[in-house]
Every structure is written in C-alpha cells, then in structure tokens.
Amino acid sequence: LQDLYNSGKKFNILFTYKLEKYNCVVIRAHPEIRNILITQRTIVVDKVLCPVYDRINLKHCQKCCQYGHRTKECKNDILLCSYCAETHSFLNCPNKSDTTKHVCINCKNNPTNQTFSSTHNSFSNDCPEYLRQKHIYISKVNYGGFTPPLTKL
C-alpha cells in the first residue's frame, strides 16, 4: 500500500461517525488501493483490526420513499410512510412493529415487474428495487477493473 500511495495513488478521509460502540471512517481511495483493502477485508488502524467494505450511499427520499433524490429535494406533495405506504410519517406508524403490514411503495408501484413482493418496508436491504438501484450505482463506479459482488450491506 505504501508503494501505491507514494506513486500518487492516494486516499482521503471523507468523514467519521460513531455506529453503536464503533468508530467508523469513510475514505475515498484510488481504485488500486480500494481493491487491495477490499481483498484483505480488514485493516489495522491504531492497533485495532477494522473491517473494510464498500459504502453504497443511494439517494432515497424519506418523504416519498422513491430513489434518485433526497428528502430536501423532494417535489412530491404527499408524505408516505416507509413501513406501510400510508400517508403519515414513518416515525408515527402504527404498523412499524407488525411486519405483516409492511408495504414497499417502490415494489407495489413497479410497472416493469409485477412479481416483486411488496411485503417489506421501503428501506429494506432485501428490497428488489433497492438491489436494482444498488446494481445501477455500482455499475457507474470506477473500481479499476474489479467488480464487487452484490451483497447486502
């Protein structure tokens, strides 16, 4: 890694955050450095072994639950619950705990594939539309010839 870094193939820290009891660091790396880190699956930082994985950050609106924009950019007038697709905030959803009443608005309204199950919430990592959007996102990233597997985050 040091040789790659010295040759001008850099990485930079974008931001840090805390997730439960862990400190997380998000970096942007040259494709060759990223591929080495992903292949190793871990890196030692300050004598601590840390997992390495790609961070996929899809634009997913919390107001209308659609992909391609964030809440502050939403042009839809109606607030949709990400749990049950009714017109209330997901924070106040009476069906939040009852997974049998979860409805994914993206799968429910999908005109191209009526075989999508909509019995999950709109922010589920198992959602077929999420996986489709993730595949589109990954296909646009320069991984330096390395194609990452489509695994759940």
Side-chain angles (χ1 to χ4, degrees):
L1 280 177
Q2 189 65 46
D3 290 340
L4 284 172
Y5 188 82
N6 291 340
S7 72
K9 295 172 180 168
K10 308 282 184 193
F11 70 90
N12 60 317
I13 296 173
L14 298 179
F15 58 90
T16 61
Y17 64 97
K18 192 145 180 90
L19 183 65
E20 296 174 9
K21 61 182 179 177
Y22 302 102
N23 290 317
C24 302
V25 178
V26 177
I27 66 169
R28 176 172 288 137
H30 184 277
E32 287 183 52
I33 291 175
R34 177 238 170 238
N35 293 345
I36 290 169
L37 294 174
I38 288 292
T39 302
Q40 290 178 185
R41 299 177 60 178
T42 58
I43 187 170
V44 177
V45 178
D46 289 334
K47 299 180 185 176
V48 176
L49 190 63
C50 303
V52 174
Y53 57 90
D54 282 323
R55 184 173 191 269
I56 308 295
N57 193 15
L58 296 176
K59 289 184 177 183
H60 197 174
C61 180
Q62 291 186 12
K63 180 180 176 188
C64 71
C65 301
Q66 293 179 0
Y67 289 94
H69 65 275
R70 302 245 187 252
T71 305
K72 65 182 177 184
E73 304 157 346
C74 188
K75 293 182 176 34
N76 293 304
D77 294 328
I78 299 171
L79 172 70
L80 289 176
C81 175
S82 59
Y83 289 104
C84 67
E86 296 294 327
T87 55
H88 57 257
S89 169
F90 70 94
L91 297 171
N92 304 320
C93 183
N95 303 309
K96 190 183 295 189
S97 300
D98 186 354
T99 57
T100 63
K101 293 185 179 179
H102 286 187
V103 177
C104 174
I105 195 68
N106 292 304
C107 290
K108 181 180 174 186
N109 293 339
N110 186 330
T112 60
N113 188 347
Q114 294 304 318
T115 61
F116 279 10
S117 167
S118 64
T119 57
H120 54 270
N121 76 62
S122 296
F123 284 88
S124 169
N125 286 342
D126 295 320
C127 172
E129 182 59 18
Y130 166 76
L131 295 173
R132 189 179 81 78
Q133 293 290 332
K134 183 177 170 183
H135 178 73
I136 291 167
Y137 180 92
I138 287 171
S139 71
K140 294 178 181 178
V141 175
N142 175 9
Y143 288 104
F146 181 87
T147 305
L150 281 177
T151 55
K152 296 176 201 166
L153 296 178

